[in-house]
Amino acid sequence: MKCSKCGAKAVAWLPASNAAYCKKHFNYYYERKVKRLLPKMLDQKKDVVGVGVSGGKDSLVMLWLLHKNRFNVVPILVDEGIKGYRDKTIPYAEKLCRELGLELHKVSFREEYGKTLDEMVKEGGRNACSYCGVFRRDLLNKTARRLGCTKLAIGHNLDDEVQSVLMNFFRGELERIARGGPVTGIIEDPKFVPRVKPLRMCSEKENVIYALINGIEYSDIECPYATTAYRGVVRDAVNMIESRYPGTKISILRTSDRLVEILRRELKPEGGLRYCSECGEPSAEKVCKACQFRNEIF
Amino acid sequence: MRVTLSLRGEKKEVEFSGRTLGDLLSSQGINPEEYVFSRNGELILADEPLHDGDEIKLVPVVSGG
Ligand SMILES: [Zn+2]
Ligand SMILES: [Zn+2]
């Protein structure tokens, strides 16, 4: 197959754009897509951007692109304590940070909460993804704030975003949909660092291709706790529809973004964001989820 | 044709009848959506002609972010 732009040998075929691209034109296509989105999320001059990195493809591609576009980035790595997994992915994050001349800020569940995720799962009654989601969120926010970040960039890709939107839709979780969109968090609050997702328009596959073309080395091992079975079912269904009707994923995301605006007007939270009565962190409830979980385990 | 498939460091030799990467994938029941494919470090697409002895690397699309 030949590049639709220049006729050179193509390395990527993108059914949703009905185009094939060579390395150079894939980079051009991909970077332009991200660059168009960035000004809506980040201010290049003012923002100090905390970047959540894991060592996987999405977060490292995101860090690389933000650095390449001269954003003031602060890489943050949360070590949940997943033996045989996180210890294997961390070196990739360290390597890229070294290459880019950036200091990697490492924090861990063990140091912050006294237990690794492995221990929490063994001792608590909940599944790994519940603990991980809540504590990662809490720790990333605290760390970004401590390091003076004005935004926090998360490496969610198009597939992640579409799966989340649909899962929330299927379950009737409108409040969760309202919390989505390009910049998350319904309310401005000095204790909450707003989250942005620079790769939300880029599919998982595009991120892999970009990483390979540009020599960004990443870990491709899967988390032993994997993703929930339900997310897997939604992913397969979306991929099946996308393969027959290319462009469906982007369309779902655009529809959802419009819905987010409408929902945010309708679902104005009463009394605004409050603070957890135990730890003082921003919380939708009286006691935040992190403290609720902590009280269960400890 | 005989080629070697490599996935996360594990290798497997397979024999298939056909000419292209696409033929190989359908003969092995490999879903092209789930991987990106490379040969000698270069990305290849389904219409790529393969040769005896080629080593094809499967790079999984679904993995931790
Ligand atoms: Zn080209
Ligand atoms: Zn709390």
Side-chain angles (χ1 to χ4, degrees), chain B residues 21-53:
Chain B
L21 174 65
D23 297 336
L24 169 68
L25 301 181
S26 41
S27 78
Q28 302 298 310
I30 296 169
N31 182 349
E33 286 308 307
E34 290 175 15
Y35 303 94
V36 168
F37 305 91
S38 74
R39 181 181 56 195
N40 300 326
E42 294 291 328
L43 293 175
I44 53 173
L45 298 176
D47 64 342
E48 181 76 19
L50 300 184
H51 308 286
D52 240 351

Side-chain angles (χ1 to χ4, degrees), chain A residues 1 9-13 20 23 54-60 85 204-205 208-209 212-213 218-222 235-236 243, chain B residues 7-9 31-39 41-49 57-65:
Chain A
M1 206 173 273
K9 192 174 158 72
V11 297
W13 158 241
K23 282 185 199 176
S54 65
K57 62 183 188 309
D58 302 315
S59 64
L60 294 189
Y85 173 62
E204 199 155 38
K205 194 173 217 174
V208 169
I209 295 170
L212 293 176
I213 290 179
Y218 64 89
S219 161
D220 68 3
I221 59 174
E222 276 191 82
R235 181 184 68 215
D236 291 346
S243 68
Chain B
L7 172 62
R8 292 190 169 109
N31 182 349
E33 286 308 307
E34 290 175 15
Y35 303 94
V36 168
F37 305 91
S38 74
R39 181 181 56 195
E42 294 291 328
L43 293 175
I44 53 173
L45 298 176
D47 64 342
E48 181 76 19
K57 191 173 171 200
L58 281 66
V59 184
V61 165
V62 178
S63 70

Side-chain angles (χ1 to χ4, degrees), chain A residues 163-212:
Chain A
Q163 287 154 21
S164 297
V165 166
L166 290 179
M167 286 163 71
N168 289 333
F169 187 87
F170 294 160
R171 291 165 165 167
E173 311 232 45
L174 290 182
E175 289 79 6
R176 279 173 176 265
I177 294 182
R179 273 186 245 143
V183 180
T184 63
I186 300 187
I187 315 134
E188 281 188 36
D189 183 278
K191 281 192 144 183
F192 182 75
V193 184
R195 299 178 165 227
V196 297
K197 300 165 183 171
L199 302 188
R200 67 195 299 267
M201 305 288 258
C202 305
S203 74
E204 199 155 38
K205 194 173 217 174
E206 288 174 336
N207 293 348
V208 169
I209 295 170
Y210 188 82
L212 293 176

Side-chain angles (χ1 to χ4, degrees), chain A residues 211-230:
Chain A
L212 293 176
I213 290 179
N214 294 285
I216 303 168
E217 288 179 41
Y218 64 89
S219 161
D220 68 3
I221 59 174
E222 276 191 82
C223 178
Y225 298 118
T227 163
T228 62
Y230 188 41

Side-chain angles (χ1 to χ4, degrees), chain A residues 63-117:
Chain A
L63 178 65
W64 160 284
L65 277 169
L66 289 172
H67 180 263
K68 188 173 179 180
N69 284 286
R70 299 168 191 282
F71 282 89
N72 182 2
V73 290
V74 179
I76 302 170
L77 186 142
V78 174
D79 180 358
E80 306 91 346
I82 306 173
K83 204 161 180 287
Y85 173 62
R86 188 56 76 218
D87 43 310
K88 299 226 163 65
T89 76
I90 289 174
Y92 289 90
E94 289 172 333
K95 181 167 177 281
L96 183 64
C97 287
R98 251 196 327 272
E99 285 169 12
L100 301 178
L102 299 168
E103 185 192 347
L104 177 63
H105 299 269
K106 276 186 274 184
V107 289
S108 69
F109 281 12
R110 171 145 204 93
E111 275 170 44
E112 179 70 20
Y113 309 110
K115 283 192 200 306
T116 64
L117 182 63

